[in-house]
Amino acid sequence: MKQLLTEKPKVLKMLEVDVPRIKKSTDVLVQMKAAGICGSDVHIYHGTSPVATYPRVMGHEIVGVIAEIGKDVTKVQIGDHVIVDQIVSCGECYPCKIGRPNICCNLKVRGVHIDGGYQEYLVAGEEAMHILPPQLAFTDAVMIEPMSIAFQSCARAGITQEDTLFILGAGALGKSLIKAARLRGARIIVSDVVDERLAEAKDLGVSVVINSKKEDLAAKLKEYTTWGPTVSIDAAGFPGSLPLLTDLTCNAGRIITMAFLDEPSPVQQFKITAKELDIRGSRLQNNKFTEVIAAYTQGKIPIEGAVSHVIPFAEAIHAFNRIDSGDTSIKKIALSFE
Ligand code: MN
């Protein structure tokens, strides 16, 4: 079978390797059908991921068909369409014990710490399988994982229809957050420095957008919210973003961080104390696949246009080169194995 190996940063190789074999009686063999390319995959490829190890088979937005099952497998059958959970947790540590395996102390993420889905077949435990409705196209289903990240963030923030949510950044993550937060009925305000992204945010139903390069963000937020947003989500992640959000967010508000930024952010502790701000991280997703699959299947989240390019898996190296070339038409690439 074909396998795309990131031997080390910036070195991708398309290899011919043996199909992996089931090891445990609860393992399944998944024949890959589609795999998304995420910004974090590009970081792993470039060598700028703070967590990845090499050599690595990337791919954590991975969907396929069950090709073989171990003798004790009960959750899935051969032929089921599945999305593979990106999280492998130990079940023993404190976060695992309190039901938060996404931040397991021994966390392994497929495609990051262990091999993922940029290969024609993958073996994983049955517990990682989430069944997809057969009518959902594989190349659309790659959007489930990135959307689960947005659902997690909204859950961490505890967003309700009472909230005014400010999303800093209208890139891929910001747009997923808009779609997720709209389901919770929150009022949404989005800022970015690129008008085109703000126009896309408007198309997704956001009534108030602010170009923070051209307009005074703090003044505009004051105008639109009086007391400031009750929830702010950082979908931009630069050293100044967290201090900015401690300024802009309403007293008693919540701030969600999502970036893997390892540069320090100079935050004044006084602002957190004086406003009793809750600053919460949001990582990966905790048990969100079922909800996201249902939202897509019921048409609550628009699927059209999310994937901008479908590229055959055999041309995956070309796909990464194309991203490097700065092709702005690329919003989301789904590698197709069919
Ligand atoms: Mn992703």
Side-chain angles (χ1 to χ4, degrees), residues 173 234-238 241 256-262 282:
L173 175 60
D234 186 356
F238 52 91
S241 58
I256 305 295
T257 72
M258 301 186 72
F260 269 38
L261 181 74
D262 56 6
S282 181

Side-chain angles (χ1 to χ4, degrees), residues 80-100:
D80 281 348
H81 294 196
V82 291
I83 181 160
V84 183
D85 206 305
Q86 76 279 55
I87 290 165
V88 178
S89 58
C90 74
E92 301 294 327
C93 64
Y94 170 68
C96 280
K97 294 276 193 219
I98 61 163
R100 295 173 65 178

Side-chain angles (χ1 to χ4, degrees), residues 28 37 39 51 64 106 111 120 131 148 174 208 228-229 247 254 259 307 318 334:
V28 305
I37 299 180
V51 284
N106 300 303
E120 289 177 309
I131 295 177
S148 74
V208 181
D247 279 333
R254 293 92 81 198
V307 170
H318 167 71

Side-chain angles (χ1 to χ4, degrees), residues 57-79:
V57 176
M58 301 185 289
H60 60 271
E61 302 172 356
I62 47 182
V63 296
V65 172
I66 302 288
E68 207 183 308
I69 57 172
K71 67 174 174 41
D72 294 324
V73 167
T74 56
K75 190 176 171 183
V76 291
Q77 295 181 328
I78 290 172

Side-chain angles (χ1 to χ4, degrees), residues 237-257:
F238 52 91
S241 58
L242 184 57
L244 177 67
L245 293 180
T246 60
D247 279 333
L248 299 176
T249 306
C250 180
N251 292 18
R254 293 92 81 198
I255 298 173
I256 305 295
T257 72

Side-chain angles (χ1 to χ4, degrees), residues 162-202:
E162 306 299 319
D163 283 307
T164 298
L165 167 65
F166 172 55
I167 301 173
L168 180 70
L173 175 60
K175 283 194 276 280
S176 295
L177 286 164
I178 293 167
K179 293 176 191 172
R182 275 176 59 84
L183 299 181
R184 287 171 173 259
R187 182 178 172 224
I188 305 171
I189 301 173
V190 176
S191 82
D192 202 286
V193 293
V194 180
D195 280 330
E196 192 199 357
R197 291 189 196 153
L198 293 172
E200 289 165 355
K202 279 206 146 171

